[in-house]
C-alpha cells in the first residue's frame, strides 16, 4: 500500500496541528520551573520569544508535521493495514498501538545518540501519535483536496492551543500549580561529586573540604576581559565549602537573605569566593551560578555525578 499525496497531506496536517499546543505546554512548564532566579530579565523576553514563534509557525509547522508523519504516523499506518489483514482487530486500534511502539523505538534511538532520559521521552513520543491517528480516522470520512485536510487541522490546532492556554491560566490562578521553590538540601545531601559542562567537576567532602577540576569561579576584578568569551575564571585545586541555607552570601540577595546555596572558597589565588545557588528538584538537584551581565548571564550548572 503506497503513500498517496492525499494521505501524506492528511498525515502532515494532523501531525502539525498538535505542535502549537505542545510548544505552549513546554513553555508553561519552563515558566513554572526553575528560572535560575536573578539570571535574566524574567518573563518579558520569554513572552516575546513565544510571540516570535507564533509568527514563524505557519512556515515551520508544515515541515514538522511532514517529518513527524514520515517517521511515525505513516509507517505505523502501513504496518497497521498489514496486521489487520492477518488478524481480526480493527485498523485504527493497530494504528494506535504501532504508532506508540514506533514512538518508543525513536525514544530508544535518541537515548543512544544523545542520552535523553528514556522514561520521559518514551511516553512523550508514544503519545505524539495519538491525536494524529484519531485525526486521520476522522479525515478519512471526508472528501476534498488539500484544503479539506489543512483547514480542519488549522481550526483544531487553534482550539487545542486556546484550551491549553486557558488551562494553564486557571491552574496558576487557582493555585493548582504551585510557584517553583528550590529544594532544601542538607550538608549530607550536598556531599559528593557535581559535574558540569566542559569537564567541570566539584567534589564536596564531608569535612567541608572541596576539590575542583576545571570549575568556573568568580574572577578577580579586572582579570577577565569584559568582551571575552568567558566572564569567569576556570580553576583547579582545593578549597573549602559551606552550606548557606539562608542565602546570606548570595550576592543578589536582599540584605541577609537570598537563595540558599553553597559557598566555595579556593586555597590558592585562582578566582574568588563563588556562590553556587541550589536549584533543580529534590530528586535531581542542581548548583548554578549566573556569571557576567545580569541581563544576559552565562549560567553554569552542576548536576550530581
Amino acid at each position: 500500500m503506497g503513500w498517496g499525496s492525499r494521505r501524506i497531506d492528511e498525515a502532515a496536517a494532523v501531525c502539525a496541528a498538535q505542535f502549537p499546543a505542545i510548544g505552549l505546554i513546554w513553555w508553561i512548564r519552563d515558566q513554572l520551573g526553575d528560572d535560575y532566579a536573578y539570571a535574566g530579565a524574567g518573563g518579558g523576553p520569554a513572552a516575546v520569544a513565544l510571540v516570535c514563534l507564533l509568527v514563524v509557525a505557519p512556515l515551520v509547522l508544515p515541515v514538522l508535521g511532514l517529518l513527524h508523519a514520515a517517521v511515525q504516523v505513516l509507517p505505523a499506518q502501513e504496518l497497521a493495514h498489514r496486521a489487520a489483514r492477518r488478524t481480526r482487530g480493527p485498523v485504527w486500534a493497530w494504528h494506535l498501538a504501532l504508532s506508540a511502539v514506533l514512538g518508543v523505538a525513536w525514544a530508544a534511538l535518541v537515548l543512544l545518540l544523545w542520552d535523553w532520559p528514556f522514561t520521559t521521552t518514551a511516553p512523550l513520543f508514544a503519545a505524539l501519535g495519538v491525536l494524529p491517528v484519531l485525526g486521520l480516522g476522522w479525515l478519512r470520512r471526508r472528501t476534498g483536496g488539500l484544503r479539506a485536510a489543512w483547514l480542519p487541522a488549522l481550526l483544531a490546532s487553534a482550539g487545542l492551543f486556546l484550551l491549553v492556554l486557558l488551562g494553564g491560566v486557571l491552574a496558576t490562578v487557582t493555585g493548582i500549580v504551585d510557584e517553583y521553590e528550590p529544594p532544601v538540601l542538607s550538608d549530607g545531601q550536598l556531599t559528593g561529586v557535581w559535574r558540569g559542562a566542559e569537564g567541570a567537576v566539584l567534589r564536596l567532602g564531608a569535612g567541608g573540604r572541596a576539590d575542583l577540576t576545571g570549575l568556573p569561579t568568580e574572577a578577580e576584578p579586572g582579570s577577565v576581559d569584559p568582551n571575552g568569551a568567558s566572564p569567569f575564571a576556570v580553576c583547579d585545586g582545593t578549597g573549602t565549602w559551606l552550606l548557606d541555607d539562608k542565602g546570606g552570601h548570595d550576592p543578589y540577595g536582599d540584605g541577609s537573605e537570598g537563595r540558599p546555596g553553597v559557598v566555595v572558597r579556593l586555597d590558592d589565588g585562582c578566582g574568588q569566593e563563588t556562590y553556587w545557588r541550589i536549584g533543580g528538584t529534590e530528586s535531581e538537584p542542581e548548583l548554578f551560578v549566573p556569571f557576567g551581565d545580569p541581563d544576559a548571564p552565562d549560567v553554569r550548572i552542576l548536576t550530581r555525578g
Side-chain angles (χ1 to χ4, degrees):
M1 176 175 277
W3 294 357
S5 60
R6 177 179 173 181
R7 185 196 294 188
I8 294 174
D9 287 337
E10 291 175 345
V14 295
C15 287
Q18 63 183 339
F19 282 112
I22 292 172
L24 181 59
I25 292 173
W26 200 276
W27 182 79
I28 291 174
R29 172 184 171 274
D30 285 345
Q31 299 309 301
L32 295 176
D34 192 350
D35 62 353
Y36 301 109
Y38 318 114
V48 172
L50 180 61
V51 172
C52 292
L53 287 176
L54 293 177
V55 171
V56 301
L59 300 176
V60 176
L61 288 179
V63 178
L64 290 177
L66 181 60
L67 177 63
H68 181 213
V71 301
Q72 184 175 4
V73 177
L74 286 175
Q77 188 180 59
E78 188 78 14
L79 294 173
H81 280 284
R82 295 182 181 182
R85 285 197 296 266
R86 292 172 173 81
T87 66
R88 295 186 178 181
V91 174
W92 69 266
W94 277 109
H95 196 181
L96 276 176
L98 291 170
S99 180
V101 170
L102 282 179
V104 173
W106 281 111
L109 180 61
V110 299
L111 170 66
L112 295 176
L113 295 178
W114 298 294
D115 198 28
W116 290 10
F118 183 77
T119 54
T120 301
T121 55
L124 175 61
F125 286 8
L128 283 177
V130 174
L131 289 180
V133 170
L134 298 178
L136 279 176
W138 182 80
L139 284 175
R140 196 175 296 117
R141 297 191 299 268
R142 295 172 60 87
T143 59
L146 185 65
R147 181 178 178 182
W150 284 96
L151 183 57
L154 176 61
L155 296 176
S157 180
L160 280 173
F161 186 89
L162 293 176
L163 184 62
V164 171
L165 180 61
L166 179 61
V169 171
L170 290 177
T172 304
V173 171
T174 58
I176 296 176
V177 177
D178 295 328
E179 184 178 354
Y180 171 80
E181 291 289 342
V184 178
L185 303 179
S186 64
D187 286 39
Q189 291 172 304
L190 288 165
T191 300
V193 180
W194 299 79
R195 302 183 186 274
E198 300 177 1
V201 178
L202 173 62
R203 293 179 175 86
L204 302 179
R209 295 297 299 171
D211 292 302
L212 297 73
T213 303
L215 189 73
T217 61
E218 296 286 357
E220 296 288 345
S223 64
V224 176
D225 181 0
N227 298 319
S230 299
F232 51 79
V234 178
C235 298
D236 300 317
T238 60
T240 61
W241 72 277
L242 62 89
L243 169 62
D244 182 2
D245 56 3
K246 300 296 183 182
H249 290 79
D250 187 348
Y252 294 95
D254 182 13
S256 61
E257 291 194 8
R259 182 161 176 162
V262 175
V263 181
V264 178
R265 301 186 179 99
L266 278 74
D267 292 332
D268 56 25
C270 180
Q272 293 182 299
E273 172 182 301
T274 304
Y275 191 77
W276 289 87
R277 297 168 186 79
I278 296 175
T281 63
E282 293 283 351
S283 59
E284 298 182 0
E286 297 175 343
L287 300 177
F288 70 92
V289 181
F291 292 102
D293 184 358
D295 293 327
D298 186 346
V299 180
R300 293 291 157 147
I301 302 172
L302 304 177
T303 58
R304 292 301 298 261

